[in-house]
Amino acid sequence: QVHLVESGGGLVQAGGSLRLSCISPTFSSYAAGWFRQAPGKEREFVAAISRSGANTLYQDSVKGRFTSSRDNAKNTVYLQMNSLKLEDTAVYFCAAGAVGGAETWDYDYWGQGTQVTVSS
């Protein structure tokens, strides 16, 4: 079992920034993904990063604003979120899988989620 722990969520004004972190003791062995789920909506893909960090993938609505990175020496994956919008409000989840992708079924392990709230 792979245990993932997210942190870094919080309340921020529109236009502001937050950096989410996700740590797991064996994260360097997995591709990673970020998903989010707003109230009453399905969980949606946000970003993915390959095991080496060389390749990334983003949902169109966050391209140019969000950046995923990782530090395998620290077994940590990051999601830097800039220019936040009201519609970015959601619970954000990190996930780990053998081959990262944009679908929830690409991942085998999930964190508990961290709340991001963007206010006007």
Side-chain angles (χ1 to χ4, degrees), residues 34 45-49 53 55-70 78-80 101-102:
W34 290 95
F45 170 74
V46 175
I49 186 166
N55 297 298
T56 54
L57 181 68
Y58 298 96
Q59 184 201 106
D60 285 346
S61 69
V62 307
K63 284 180 181 177
R65 299 189 299 121
F66 291 11
T67 302
S68 184
S69 62
R70 67 191 302 160
Y78 304 98
L79 183 68
Q80 177 67 43

Side-chain angles (χ1 to χ4, degrees), residues 1-16:
Q1 186 71 19
V2 176
H3 187 56
L4 289 74
V5 178
E6 301 103 334
S7 62
L11 175 64
V12 63
Q13 285 192 323

Side-chain angles (χ1 to χ4, degrees), residues 4-7 20-24 27 34 75-78 94-95:
L4 289 74
V5 178
E6 301 103 334
S7 62
L20 306 183
S21 300
C22 182
I23 189 168
S24 175
F27 224 159
W34 290 95
N75 285 307
T76 303
V77 174
Y78 304 98
C94 70

Side-chain angles (χ1 to χ4, degrees), residues 6 33-37 43 91-95 110-114:
E6 301 103 334
W34 290 95
F35 290 75
R36 65 188 181 188
Q37 187 165 18
R43 191 169 298 191
V91 177
Y92 283 70
F93 299 88
C94 70
W110 293 82
Q112 81 288 351
T114 185

